[in-house]
Amino acid sequence: MVNQFPQVLTIAGSDCDGSAGLQADMNTFQRCGVYGMSVLTAAVAGNSYGIFASQPMPTEFIDKQFAVLTEDFQINACKTGMLTDTRTIETVAKNYQKHDLGPLVLDPVIITKHGDMLLEEDAFETLKEKLIPQATVLTPNYYEAVKLTGIQIESTTDALKAAQILQEMGAKNVMVKGKHNDKQQTKVTDLVLLEDKTSFTLSEPFINTTHINGTGDLLSACIAAEIAKKTSIADAIKQAKKFVTAAIADQLDVGHKYGPVNHLVKYSF
Ligand SMILES: Nc1ncnc2c1ncn2[C@@H]1O[C@H](COP(=O)(O)OP(=O)(O)O)[C@@H](O)[C@H]1O
Ligand SMILES: Cc1ncc(COP(=O)(O)OP(=O)(O)O)c(N)n1
């Protein structure tokens, strides 16, 4: 039987050190037991010290990747990562409307946790207008939630307000990821607002490590994979939070500065 196995697509940039981007997404898909595919939107030259160069893909090439994948595969869910600029967002939004790609997990990648910009400032409005309304699950980190909503997030109530604004923009379900830049904090708490307007928080212990590159990618890729496996949205998000915490806790010693999360961690789904 063809096309019965869960098939998931990442629409993302390549990060050559494997910590983030489509390499991290594909590792995550494999760990989650789904078949992974990728539409390459850009490529960055990066390592554990940062990102040093970036190259967007031509839009015709992005279109072609969508065309050839969708004429052959039955995609059950997809996620986005680095989208670089307005024309890339427009191309992805157009293709998402044109093809059946299943539920969309939109990771609104704007800036890495080390300060490298991955989305041009003048593309924020296009992201809001063209892609957020199509998102089944939107997963902004603290900085992205502040940027997209203008809300200064200092508490769970603020995170809920930001999530409500993002839902008003059209995202069905929103996960606002909490801050984790204070070595004294004991927990990292994310806020989830579901389509039915119920909300809950997810707290896990704060792990004091420099090996946290690619946390957001692992989380959003895992949510997309679980959705493709027909897990409910709430359970997909809970599962992803557990998996990312395990992958941060079991440090993999590669890279000299800010290493990757450990996609190889022992973890059962
Ligand atoms: N040091 C940490 N300890 C525990 N959990 C963390 C830590 N850093 C990130 N996380 C978790 O990883 C997930 C991804 O969040 P985040 O790192 O903010 O995303 P992004 O990579 O998009 O910036 C969230 O669930 C967050 O709570
Ligand atoms: C190509 C590419 N590079 C870096 C990222 C950022 O990954 P993310 O997991 O969102 O953020 P960090 O945890 O690495 O700061 C990306 N999405 N794509």
Side-chain angles (χ1 to χ4, degrees):
M1 279 278 246
V2 289
N3 292 331
Q4 295 297 311
F5 195 79
Q7 295 157 70
V8 187
L9 174 68
T10 179
I11 304 159
S14 156
D15 195 341
C16 65
D17 81 347
S19 67
L22 72 82
Q23 289 85 346
D25 294 338
M26 294 294 282
N27 283 340
T28 306
F29 292 157
Q30 187 154 11
R31 286 305 313 271
C32 295
V34 301
Y35 182 74
M37 287 165 270
S38 59
V39 163
L40 181 69
T41 55
V44 304
N47 59 22
S48 71
Y49 292 88
I51 288 174
F52 301 92
S54 171
Q55 189 66 56
M57 290 298 122
T59 54
E60 304 73 35
F61 182 63
I62 295 174
D63 283 337
K64 194 70 185 170
Q65 293 174 81
F66 278 110
V68 298
L69 287 179
T70 53
E71 71 189 22
D72 194 8
F73 295 86
Q74 180 60 58
I75 294 163
N76 306 113
C78 63
K79 68 146 282 191
T80 58
M82 178 182 179
L83 299 178
T84 317
D85 52 23
T86 301
R87 62 184 195 112
T88 305
I89 294 175
E90 283 173 347
T91 304
V92 170
K94 178 191 74 185
N95 277 283
Y96 186 72
Q97 276 179 335
K98 183 170 172 188
H99 304 290
D100 177 12
L101 301 174
L104 169 66
V105 180
L106 176 58
D107 187 359
V109 174
I110 293 179
I111 189 169
T112 70
K113 56 176 65 70
H114 311 303
D116 298 302
M117 285 301 282
L118 296 181
L119 183 68
E120 291 174 1
E121 195 114 12
D122 65 7
F124 293 0
E125 284 310 310
T126 315
L127 182 75
K128 285 188 197 174
E129 278 169 30
K130 302 258 164 87
L131 267 187
I132 289 183
Q134 304 195 60
T136 308
V137 185
L138 180 68
T139 62
N141 64 19
Y142 164 82
Y143 171 83
E144 291 153 354
V146 170
K147 264 274 184 237
L148 292 170
T149 64
I151 297 279
Q152 285 311 313
I153 304 174
E154 302 299 341
S155 64
T156 303
T157 313
D158 297 336
L160 179 59
K161 260 188 233 155
Q164 283 163 340
I165 292 173
L166 293 166
Q167 210 174 47
E168 279 159 21
M169 288 180 198
K172 290 192 177 69
N173 304 274
V174 183
M175 176 183 199
V176 175
K177 296 173 284 188
K179 260 187 178 170
H180 44 76
N181 58 354
D182 175 2
K183 288 195 168 68
Q184 305 305 316
Q185 72 189 90
T186 53
K187 290 183 300 182
V188 188
T189 303
D190 308 328
L191 179 282
V192 179
L193 176 62
L194 296 176
E195 193 173 4
D196 65 5
K197 313 285 182 219
T198 58
S199 63
F200 58 88
T201 55
L202 292 173
S203 278
E204 291 290 340
F206 169 73
I207 301 149
N208 190 3
T209 171
T210 51
H211 283 56
I212 45 169
N213 278 0
T215 46
D217 281 333
L218 184 147
L219 182 95
S220 53
C222 182
I223 296 171
E226 287 301 313
I227 291 172
K229 284 154 64 177
K230 307 244 180 293
T231 306
S232 70
I233 302 284
D235 286 346
I237 292 171
K238 288 176 191 167
Q239 181 73 265
K241 174 76 174 171
K242 291 271 179 214
F243 183 37
V244 75
T245 306
I248 300 167
D250 185 13
Q251 188 169 313
L252 184 68
D253 286 322
V254 300
H256 288 88
K257 201 170 183 200
Y258 300 111
V261 292
N262 185 359
H263 297 112
L264 303 169
V265 62
K266 283 202 171 69
Y267 184 87
S268 305
F269 283 87

